[in-house]
């Protein structure tokens, strides 16, 4: 098993790709299989969330780019700024991972949260997309 022990900021072409859902990108230690079929072990400092596009490496210089896996998401589109803010408030109040885009919110599909937003007057759709939620105000934003 190839060990990946650190992240790097490089423009070099990675040797392979690792596609992970959001839950797995939050784990600092885990086995995984790259797109090329290589068994790897991720051994990173605790508390680090891998962002889409992060590059993992090791002392031998092997580089693996991390891609966000497509996941079943609830998607809410809203151009009304006040209603958008209310939706963000109520979702944030439940401490869920939330991806905020211009006029669009995404979160891991959850029928209870969907119904709450429908009750606010929003429409919820379901799509399979990569999920890249906000890292949080108290979390470093680096890779």
């Amino acid at each position: 098993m190839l060990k990946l022990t650190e992240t790097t900021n490089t423009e070099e072409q990675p040797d392979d790709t690792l596609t992970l859902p959001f839950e797995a990108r939050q784990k600092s230690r885990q086995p995984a299989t790259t797109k090329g079929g290589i068994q790897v072990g991720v051994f990173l400092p605790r508390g680090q969330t891998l962002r889409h596009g992060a590059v993992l490496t090791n002392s031998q210089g092997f580089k693996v780019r991390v891609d966000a896996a497509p996941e079943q998401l609830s998607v809410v589109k809203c151009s009304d700024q006040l209603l958008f803010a209310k939706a963000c408030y109520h979702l944030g109040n439940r401490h869920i991972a939330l991806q905020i885009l211009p006029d669009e919110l995404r979160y891991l599909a959850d029928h209870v949260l969907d119904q709450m937003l429908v009750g606010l007057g929003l429409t919820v759709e379901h799509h399979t997309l990569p999920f890249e939620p906000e890292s949080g105000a108290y979390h470093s934003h680096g890779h």
Side-chain angles (χ1 to χ4, degrees):
M1 178 184 296
L2 181 69
K3 290 185 179 181
L4 300 170
T5 56
E6 58 189 87
T7 58
T8 183
N9 292 324
T10 182
E11 298 299 319
E12 294 178 37
Q13 184 69 23
D15 300 299
D16 210 336
T17 303
L18 184 59
T19 302
L20 298 171
F22 178 64
E23 182 179 342
R25 288 185 286 128
Q26 295 179 82
K27 295 181 180 179
S28 58
R29 291 175 175 39
Q30 64 182 304
T33 304
T34 66
K35 185 176 182 180
I38 298 172
Q39 297 292 317
V40 297
V42 176
F43 297 93
L44 298 173
R46 296 202 186 280
Q48 183 176 346
T49 297
L50 293 170
R51 309 299 290 180
H52 177 79
V55 177
L56 302 175
T57 190
N58 60 18
S59 60
Q60 292 81 35
F62 191 83
K63 294 175 290 305
V64 177
R65 185 186 73 237
V66 175
D67 286 343
E71 302 186 63
Q72 188 63 27
L73 302 180
S74 293
V75 178
V76 177
K77 295 181 181 181
C78 178
S79 59
D80 179 322
Q81 292 180 349
L82 181 59
L83 189 53
F84 189 83
K86 287 180 180 182
C88 288
Y89 172 80
H90 287 289
L91 290 168
N93 202 31
R94 283 153 182 80
H95 302 281
I96 65 149
L98 182 63
Q99 184 174 1
I100 303 172
L101 302 166
D103 299 333
E104 184 175 312
L105 299 173
R106 297 178 182 177
Y107 54 92
L108 294 172
D110 182 311
H111 71 281
V112 173
L113 296 174
D114 294 349
Q115 288 305 308
M116 177 189 70
L117 293 178
V118 167
L120 288 174
L122 294 157
T123 300
V124 179
E125 299 176 354
H126 294 99
H127 299 282
T128 302
L129 300 164
F131 185 50
E132 190 68 29
E134 295 292 314
S135 60
Y138 300 107
H139 188 274
S140 68
H141 210 341
H143 289 265

